[in-house]
């Protein structure tokens, strides 16, 4: 305290000088237009660089939010494409003006972020950061931009678990895009980039590189034509009536970050009808 | 109230009136006079007694500067220059101290220390005043040439009037 007083006695004049000048400068900038403009412009130049940096950092933190919103837009666009396709198909059939009813919007896409993923086990699952609140139900199909991901298993309010395509119990109806021959996709373990296609009878003509897509048949979790992969190798076991086909996935489940969950609004109707047939 | 305080108060009023009513009104047209301002009121700060404390010096300078600012409509510009030379005054006095020293009961006038001493003393502080004043008025050193020209021309005219003032009134204290 004594030192402080000594300091003030010694430099008190300078402190008062600084205070008075600071007050004068405040008056100058506050009440003189020319000086005010110069002051504002100079501080803008100085702070401009600072603001830009801060904005860059903020943008970085906002990236996830932005990606979320872009994913949502993508989901909407997918629906629109689906709708257009159906409209085009109907128009081709009827060759007349056709107004599409709302009920024709069979597939809806819900974008979701993957928050947990594994590809190294025998029975892999994923977790999505969306749940029943967002319209996700068990047994819905999950895809991303590059191809198939899996099928929803359990749903809580905010989360959903997905049985990955790389799961030993998964079965997905698939078709060869070139000749519409159908089969079933399953995974046998080991290589996360290769799946098997089964139940393709030996009279079907196959070519290496044939594109395999979803067939859209029951259980109808996927619309037809979703890319799965291309035929890598195929062979016939002696005495077997069915091909052994290895399909190279178009998708890489290891690097997937955003997915679309497919909601089929007509699935209940279809399943009910098919159950009646089965019951007979 | 001692006589030097009374004198200072009278000088305070007289210099403000002279500055506002006379020298502010001298505003001849022409590009030359764009660079000339007649500033004499800092004489009040120059002529305060030696024993005035540095802090009181700056406070008084601020007060007279603000009063001039109000009439000039340039809030803070004159005041900051006045505070600046009030801050410099003790240092300048120390540098210019004659061999015999100062009599601290007196004021720094030409009567006591001669016209040469007074001109050098007032010249240093008036130049500092005008340079600071025109710098703050421009508020940027982009036009430093213009600031310097204004300072030098205004300095010559203001010093002339200050010397005339000293001969007319010839303040003792």
């Amino acid at each position: 305290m004594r030192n402080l007083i000594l300091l003030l006695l010694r430099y008190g004049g300078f402190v008062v000088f600084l205070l008075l000048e600071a007050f004068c400068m405040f008056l100058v900038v506050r009440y003189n237009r020319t000086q005010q403009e110069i002051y504002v412009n100079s501080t803008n130049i100085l702070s401009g660089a600072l603001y830009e940096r801060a904005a860059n950092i903020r943008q970085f933190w906002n990236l996830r939010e932005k990606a979320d919103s872009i994913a949502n837009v993508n989901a909407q666009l997918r629906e629109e494409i689906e709708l257009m396709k159906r409209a085009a198909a109907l128009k081709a059939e009827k060759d007349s003006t056709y107004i599409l009813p709302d009920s024709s919007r069979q597939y809806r896409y819900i974008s979701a972020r993957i928050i947990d993923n594994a590809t190294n086990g025998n029975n892999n699952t994923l977790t999505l950061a969306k749940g029943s609140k967002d319209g996700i139900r068990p047994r819905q199909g999950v895809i991303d931009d590059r191809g198939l991901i899996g099928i929803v298993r359990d749903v809580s309010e905010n989360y959903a678990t997905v049985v990955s395509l790389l799961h030993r119990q998964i079965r997905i109806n698939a078709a060869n895009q070139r000749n519409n021959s159908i089969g079933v996709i399953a995974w046998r373990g080991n290589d996360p980039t290769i799946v098997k296609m089964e139940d393709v009878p030996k009279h079907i003509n196959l070519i290496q590189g044939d594109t395999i897509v979803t067939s859209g048949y029951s259980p109808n979790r996927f619309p037809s034509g979703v890319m799965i992969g291309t035929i890598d190798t195929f062979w016939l076991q002696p005495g077997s009536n069915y091909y052994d086909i290895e399909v190279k996935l178009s998708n890489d489940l290891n690097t997937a970050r955003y997915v679309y969950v497919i909601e089929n609004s007509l699935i209940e109707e279809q399943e009910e009808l098919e159950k009646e047939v089965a019951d007979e | 109230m001692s006589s030097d305080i009374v004198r200072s108060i009278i000088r305070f009023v007289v210099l403000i009136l002279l500055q506002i009513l006379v020298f502010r009104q001298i505003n001849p047209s022409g590009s030359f006079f764009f660079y000339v301002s007649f500033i004499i009121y800092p004489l009040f700060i120059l002529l305060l007694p030696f024993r005035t404390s540095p802090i009181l010096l700056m406070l008084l300078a601020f007060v007279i500067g603000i009063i001039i600012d109000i009439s000039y409509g340039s809030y803070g510009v004159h005041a900051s220059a006045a505070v600046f030379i009030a801050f410099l005054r003790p240092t300048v006095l120390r540098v210019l101290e004659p061999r015999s020293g100062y009599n601290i009961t007196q004021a720094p006038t030409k009567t006591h220390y001669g016209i040469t001493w007074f001109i050098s003393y007032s010249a240093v502080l008036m130049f500092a005043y005008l340079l600071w004043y025109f710098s703050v008025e421009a508020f940027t050193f982009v036009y430093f040439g213009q600031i310097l020209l204004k300072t030098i021309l205004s300095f010559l005219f203001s010093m002339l009037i200050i010397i005339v003032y000293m001969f007319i009134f010839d303040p003792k204290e």
Side-chain angles (χ1 to χ4, degrees), chain A residues 67-256:
Chain A
D68 275 336
S69 73
I70 289 169
N72 279 328
V73 172
N74 277 351
Q76 278 171 16
L77 288 176
R78 271 177 177 276
E79 278 175 36
E80 294 295 328
I81 290 169
E82 197 67 35
L83 212 61
M84 294 290 179
K85 273 186 187 166
R86 286 174 60 85
L90 283 165
K91 214 173 176 185
E93 280 169 20
K94 294 190 169 177
D95 195 23
S96 63
T97 317
Y98 183 81
I99 299 159
L100 220 54
D102 255 3
S103 63
S104 69
R105 205 179 273 259
Q106 186 182 0
Y107 294 106
R108 279 190 60 234
Y109 294 84
I110 304 158
S111 77
R113 188 160 48 85
I114 297 174
I115 54 170
D116 188 33
N117 188 7
T119 55
N120 53 356
N122 282 329
N123 295 310
N124 299 300
T125 58
L126 304 87
T127 308
L128 306 182
K130 276 190 180 171
S132 59
K133 212 175 62 183
D134 307 289
I136 296 178
R137 303 281 175 268
R139 298 173 62 216
Q140 286 172 341
V142 181
I143 62 172
D144 77 350
D145 297 325
R146 294 171 299 181
L148 223 61
I149 296 284
I151 294 166
V152 175
R153 186 170 63 189
D154 299 315
V155 180
S156 70
E157 197 181 336
N158 292 305
Y159 298 99
T161 56
V162 174
V163 179
S164 165
L165 191 56
L166 307 179
H167 192 288
R168 283 178 180 231
Q169 285 161 15
I170 206 161
R171 296 285 182 276
I172 290 162
N173 289 316
N176 187 330
Q177 203 175 36
R178 190 169 56 83
N179 55 21
N180 288 329
S181 61
I182 59 166
V184 173
I185 289 290
W187 189 60
R188 292 279 169 253
N190 296 329
D191 191 345
T193 65
I194 299 285
V195 290
K196 293 264 187 189
M197 188 167 175
E198 296 167 349
D199 301 346
V200 180
K202 65 178 178 182
H203 70 272
I204 300 292
N205 169 30
L206 292 177
I207 303 173
Q208 193 185 0
D210 273 353
T211 304
I212 305 299
V213 295
T214 55
S215 66
Y217 293 162
S218 172
N220 215 348
R221 287 152 183 154
F222 300 97
S224 63
V226 175
M227 181 77 175
I228 297 174
T230 51
I231 294 181
D232 194 34
T233 53
F234 62 94
W235 64 90
L236 266 173
Q237 292 274 2
S240 167
N241 286 326
Y242 297 97
Y243 281 110
D244 278 353
I245 306 172
E246 285 190 343
V247 175
K248 175 118 182 106
L249 288 174
S250 63
N251 202 351
D252 182 359
L253 274 83
N254 198 25
T255 58

Side-chain angles (χ1 to χ4, degrees), chain B residues 1-12:
Chain B
M1 230 192 288
S2 58
S3 68
D4 57 346
I5 293 179
V6 177
R7 277 167 194 279
S8 289
I9 290 170
I10 293 169
R11 196 179 295 133
F12 182 85

Side-chain angles (χ1 to χ4, degrees), chain B residues 17-39:
Chain B
L17 291 178
L18 272 177
Q19 184 70 52
I20 294 172
L21 298 180
V22 181
F23 293 106
R24 200 200 152 194
Q25 310 306 325
I26 303 177
N27 205 1
S29 57
S31 60
F32 176 74
F33 283 98
F34 170 72
Y35 293 102
V36 179
S37 304
F38 300 91
I39 307 288

